[in-house]
Amino acid sequence: MAYRSHVLVCAGTGCVSCGSYELGAAIEGEIAKRDLAGEVQLVRTGCQGFCAEGPVLIVQPDEVFYCGLKKSDVPTLVEEHLLKGRPVTRLMYTPPAAPAPVPTLSQIPFFAKQKLVVLRNRGLIDPERIEDYIARDGYAALAKALGDMTPEQIIQEIKLSGLRGRGGGGFPAGVKWATCRQAAIHRGVEPIVVCNADEGDPGAFMDRSIIESDPHSVIEGMVIGARAIGAQQGFVYIRHEYPIARERLAKALDQARAFGLLGRGILGTKFDFDISVVQGAGAFVCGESTALMASLEGRVGEPRAKYIHTVEYGYKNLPTNLNNVETWANVPLIINRGAAWFTAMGTGDVSDNPWNGSSGTKVFSLVGKVNNTGLIEVPMGITLREIIFEIGGGIPRGRAFKAVQTGGPSGGCLPAAHLDMPVDFDSLTAAGSMMGSGGMIVMDDQTCMVDVARYFIAFLTEESCGKCIPCREGLRCSLDVLTRITEGKGDEGDIALLEEMGGVMQDACLCALGSSAPNPVISTLRYFRDEYDAHIRDHTCPAGVCKALIHYEIDQAKCDGCHACVTACSTGAITGQVKYPHLLNQDLCIKCGACVDACKREAVLRA
Amino acid sequence: MPRLTIDDLKKMRDQTAGALALRAGTARARVTIHMGTCGIAAGAREIMAALLGEIERQGVTDVLVTTSGCAGLCSREPMATVEVLGQAPVKYANLTPEGIQEVFRRHVLGGDVVTVSALASGCETTG
């Protein structure tokens, strides 16, 4: 019998860690108990994006969104909504500042403002069932590419779409494909296609979510690309740290092989192509093209100088076309719906030059000091303000927006003055940041920008492979200087020194990890120089973050002796009798700030 | 699973698209079975089963079936509301399994309101 209702339980990594598998099992049990098993189907989908509110689920066709669910909510949910058709208001989502919960997806700003292209199937299909993907026009683009198009026509369509690499560089995919095809024909060798799923930026999880929620879209894109370029062999280079994504990708590849969508004679044609999965071992630099190829070959993952690009001499010196997960996932839709549909979204006119704009959409992971953290997809050209304040629901606890960091560790921090800037490849670069692979970290007024720069430089120092001196030594020295500044030991010449080292690294590093590494320092110096000056000259941290420059005191007039801070303090630094003002012993204080959070009367002062 | 050809893929897509239409919210009509305590006591579960069975037999994939609470007229349960896209909703009362199947064939598929079992035009939300 056909199902009348589908319960779409999010099984992305975020919700799984909040217990969505157990929740799903409880719902299945309750459905069976209520004798609804033939009527209501439970589907485990990929990440639905609203990670802040997990575990989440959607009941279709009613389009009702539930969040923050516990196992104890299950009997009510099943009886009231699934049996009696009365959606349960108390389990629905209440947007910040909204008077009451809102029931449906289209009424929640987080979902309503998004434009789903790459994530079109998220929360809609079971990523482990190829039948679900096919039902949503999956592999139709492959049928079209194999049946009705020549390789040249496929490349031309991708060129016209203006699709630019979603991994960060923004290089036009069609141009890369054409170069790779020509290099292979010219040398009489077989080219290779590779999918870069070595996503390593802190706080970024776009590619993981795409593979988790719709692995076949990446596979289909790669098969189409292989057909266009003339490749018979492909690789997905994926992080070992993504267990759910790896498992779903492996399942999807098996299904595609069983259905004749990979392997010999794809879809009954004479085209052969197969994909192997190679796991990375957690080195950030292996996201860089030449280091990735070295790692694929089994060598140490270090980059080489790129006088000759990997598109001509890559994996085992064969012409190798490397695109990122999100780029590949865009391909089936462009082939299916045409370049004109794709260029209708985005900025600029890419009709005769893909460098003239940014077409299509971009997936971002929206994290940090923002109410609705999660995974979003928006059209290119949307403003930062729309992303942070409408989709993201603004800054928690009514604090002020200070900066947004885009582009991962090598990106930059943009201040409030840039909030109305359109988000596309070229605007972000012009403002001193970059698109990167799509990490977006929001910061409030309690964030110290010198400390942020220090954090990213520390990350890159650990991840630098050490092959070239400007990167290895430049990062280490920059980290020393930044650490000194955050400890209040900075000198007048430090800023000039940071700028000089940054300039050398930009010019002289072997790969993009090093040449873009100074960006966090340069962009914070550009927009927040006064904070550096405050640290160096006044020995103060305006945001109250750098521990060496702050101390806590208890305002004797405000303290009512409630004892909450004494309980919160882990070192016993606060003493006092209940109902009498307390005292803080500076020698024992580790400046963790727990007392500030515990105090209801704002009697703990940070100075 | 045999290896697919381009034609097989298209056939498979057509066969499976219906189930996903439910999740994507594309449908030509919606039938709501009222499942208050009164409705369930009067046999709404049997009405639901009969309706889903009929939908399956007819091979229809673009009609949504949902439940809702008591419609307020407990003495006339089991009841159902039929909403065909672009037309006013119609409420049916005192349904039997055969009755809902007839409503599905004549009203949802055929476009004619089954006046014998129709109670009124409209639904709770539209007045």
Side-chain angles (χ1 to χ4, degrees):
Chain A
M1 198 156 64
Y3 294 105
R4 64 172 167 83
S5 181
H6 291 188
V7 179
L8 307 167
V9 181
C10 180
T13 295
C15 283
V16 168
S17 65
C18 303
S20 77
Y21 280 145
E22 293 81 359
L23 181 77
I27 296 173
E28 274 173 333
E30 195 67 24
I31 285 174
K33 198 170 125 195
R34 300 271 173 186
D35 205 15
L36 292 168
E39 298 176 17
V40 179
Q41 186 184 21
L42 185 122
V43 184
R44 289 182 179 83
T45 72
C47 178
Q48 297 177 2
F50 211 164
C51 312
E53 300 289 337
V56 303
L57 66 82
I58 299 167
V59 178
Q60 292 286 23
D62 309 344
E63 216 201 35
V64 175
F65 177 77
Y66 291 110
C67 60
L69 295 169
K70 292 186 289 295
K71 266 205 310 207
S72 55
D73 298 324
V74 168
T76 315
L77 181 73
V78 173
E79 176 173 354
E80 285 297 307
H81 190 158
L82 299 178
L83 178 61
K84 296 182 176 170
R86 296 190 289 228
V88 187
T89 313
R90 75 172 171 85
L91 301 175
M92 293 172 188
Y93 171 66
T94 310
V102 295
T104 66
L105 290 184
S106 52
Q107 289 172 293
I108 298 173
F110 178 79
F111 292 107
K113 290 286 284 188
Q114 296 191 47
K115 171 93 187 157
L116 301 184
V117 172
V118 172
L119 300 174
R120 62 196 175 279
N121 288 331
R122 84 150 174 217
L124 212 54
I125 66 165
D126 181 340
E128 300 191 3
R129 279 173 47 87
I130 190 173
E131 294 87 351
D132 277 13
Y133 181 68
I134 291 173
R136 296 270 298 156
D137 288 331
Y139 291 106
L142 176 63
K144 187 176 171 186
L146 289 181
D148 311 330
M149 295 170 88
T150 63
E152 289 79 7
Q153 284 172 328
I154 300 172
I155 291 178
Q156 185 61 16
E157 199 69 27
I158 299 297
K159 271 189 183 169
L160 287 175
S161 75
L163 175 67
R164 291 171 66 174
R166 264 43 175 172
F171 190 85
V175 177
K176 197 188 255 187
W177 290 18
T179 314
C180 191
R181 177 178 175 81
Q182 278 152 17
I185 291 172
H186 181 70
R187 287 169 53 201
V189 292
E190 263 180 26
I192 303 286
V193 295
V194 181
C195 171
N196 187 349
D198 191 50
E199 181 177 52
D201 293 0
F205 50 96
M206 297 73 57
D207 297 341
R208 188 195 77 206
S209 291
I210 293 169
I211 294 178
E212 281 178 6
S213 54
D214 202 9
H216 287 286
S217 67
V218 181
I219 297 172
E220 187 181 6
M222 287 183 73
V223 184
I224 294 170
R227 166 67 173 166
I229 295 162
Q232 295 193 8
Q233 195 184 2
F235 296 99
V236 178
Y237 188 86
I238 186 167
R239 296 185 67 167
H240 177 77
E241 295 91 325
Y242 282 176
I244 298 178
R246 279 192 286 116
E247 194 181 304
R248 290 191 187 151
L249 180 66
K251 260 188 201 165
L253 288 169
D254 286 344
Q255 290 169 352
R257 275 185 209 110
F259 277 59
L261 300 161
L262 276 177
R264 298 190 69 79
I266 292 176
L267 281 175
T269 66
K270 291 199 172 94
F271 176 56
D272 306 334
F273 175 69
D274 211 333
I275 298 173
S276 325
V277 177
V278 176
Q279 286 182 30
F284 181 68
V285 74
C286 285
E288 196 274 343
S289 62
T290 57
L292 188 150
M293 310 269 164
S295 177
L296 270 185
E297 292 172 15
R299 294 186 287 120
V300 174
E302 287 179 348
R304 61 164 172 80
K306 282 190 284 264
Y307 309 113
I308 301 165
H309 286 277
T310 52
V311 73
E312 287 170 354
Y313 286 85
Y315 174 73
K316 293 189 173 167
N317 279 334
L318 296 168
T320 306
N321 185 91
L322 176 72
N323 284 121
N324 134 293
V325 171
E326 190 182 338
T327 316
W328 287 120
N330 267 296
V331 169
L333 277 163
I334 294 170
I335 297 300
N336 240 345
R337 300 199 181 184
W341 164 81
F342 196 71
T343 54
M345 298 173 287
T347 58
D349 176 13
V350 293
S351 54
D352 46 52
N353 182 357
W355 291 105
N356 281 349
S358 308
S359 49
T361 60
K362 180 75 193 81
V363 181
F364 289 100
S365 52
L366 187 61
V367 297
K369 298 292 175 63
V370 62
N371 277 312
N372 304 334
T373 53
L375 191 77
I376 61 165
E377 182 172 358
V378 290
M380 293 277 193
I382 192 171
T383 63
L384 284 168
R385 188 184 298 281
E386 286 172 282
I387 291 179
I388 296 164
F389 288 92
E390 293 182 33
I391 296 173
I395 316 297
R397 299 198 285 176
R399 301 212 67 94
F401 170 85
K402 184 169 190 176
V404 57
Q405 207 272 353
T406 71
S410 322
C413 297
L414 301 174
H418 284 71
L419 274 176
D420 291 308
M421 189 186 81
V423 174
D424 60 48
F425 286 106
D426 306 309
S427 307
L428 285 170
T429 308
S433 184
M434 62 182 201
M435 178 71 84
S437 59
M440 198 172 267
I441 305 174
V442 181
M443 299 165 188
D444 69 2
D445 55 0
Q446 288 182 321
T447 313
C448 168
M449 301 314 289
V450 185
D451 186 59
V452 166
R454 199 195 61 83
Y455 168 79
F456 284 114
I457 295 296
F459 173 83
L460 291 165
T461 307
E462 280 179 21
E463 294 295 347
S464 169
C465 75
K467 184 174 180 180
C468 74
I469 295 167
C471 175
R472 185 180 69 218
E473 293 305 315
L475 278 166
R476 192 178 61 80
C477 293
S478 300
L479 180 60
D480 284 349
V481 174
L482 288 165
T483 306
R484 239 183 25 234
I485 296 175
T486 56
E487 288 171 352
K489 298 172 191 158
D491 295 325
E492 278 298 324
D494 278 349
I495 290 177
L497 180 60
L498 283 173
E499 284 173 335
E500 190 190 344
M501 285 191 291
V504 172
M505 290 170 72
Q506 285 175 329
D507 290 340
C509 283
L510 197 54
C511 80
L513 188 154
S515 61
S516 63
N519 284 359
V521 178
I522 292 171
S523 72
T524 47
L525 275 174
R526 176 166 163 188
Y527 296 116
F528 301 97
R529 196 177 186 113
D530 51 333
E531 281 195 44
Y532 281 84
D533 289 340
H535 282 75
I536 295 170
R537 291 183 190 153
D538 310 331
H539 304 289
T540 58
C541 175
V545 172
C546 297
K547 284 188 181 174
L549 303 178
I550 54 167
H551 71 279
Y552 292 93
E553 281 170 21
I554 294 172
D555 186 335
Q556 300 294 308
K558 276 189 182 170
C559 178
D560 64 352
C562 76
H563 228 56
C565 56
V566 178
T567 315
C569 181
S570 61
T571 62
I574 303 175
T575 50
Q577 226 183 320
V578 177
K579 292 190 179 168
Y580 290 94
H582 292 2
L583 284 171
L584 193 154
N585 181 345
Q586 299 294 340
D587 293 338
L588 292 175
C589 178
I590 55 165
K591 300 171 187 175
C592 67
C595 49
V596 179
D597 296 334
C599 183
K600 291 189 176 65
R601 297 174 58 86
E602 295 186 357
V604 185
L605 308 173
R606 183 160 35 202
Chain B
M1 181 69 212
R3 295 170 69 82
L4 302 176
T5 64
I6 290 177
D7 287 338
D8 296 337
L9 184 72
K10 282 178 185 148
K11 269 183 228 150
M12 194 172 164
R13 187 229 167 258
D14 294 341
Q15 282 165 6
T16 49
L20 270 290
L22 183 65
R23 295 180 211 165
T26 45
R28 63 168 146 165
R30 174 194 292 261
V31 183
T32 307
I33 308 286
H34 296 274
M35 285 268 190
T37 303
C38 49
I40 294 172
R45 295 296 296 273
E46 288 77 26
I47 302 294
M48 171 68 79
L51 175 63
L52 293 176
E54 183 66 16
I55 290 175
E56 174 114 349
R57 263 195 299 284
Q58 302 275 352
V60 174
T61 56
D62 54 355
V63 172
L64 304 180
V65 179
T66 64
T67 59
S68 85
C70 169
L73 203 60
C74 311
S75 59
R76 304 290 298 272
E77 297 279 4
M79 291 173 63
T81 307
V82 173
E83 297 165 86
V84 176
L85 199 66
Q87 292 174 22
V90 176
K91 200 168 256 23
Y92 289 95
N94 296 111
L95 286 164
T96 58
E98 297 73 33
I100 189 74
Q101 289 173 346
E102 189 187 2
V103 166
F104 181 77
R105 285 191 300 268
R106 282 178 48 194
H107 186 176
V108 179
L109 299 183
D112 299 324
V113 176
V114 185
T115 40
V116 228
S117 42
L119 175 74
S121 171
C123 72
E124 301 95 294
T125 47
T126 57

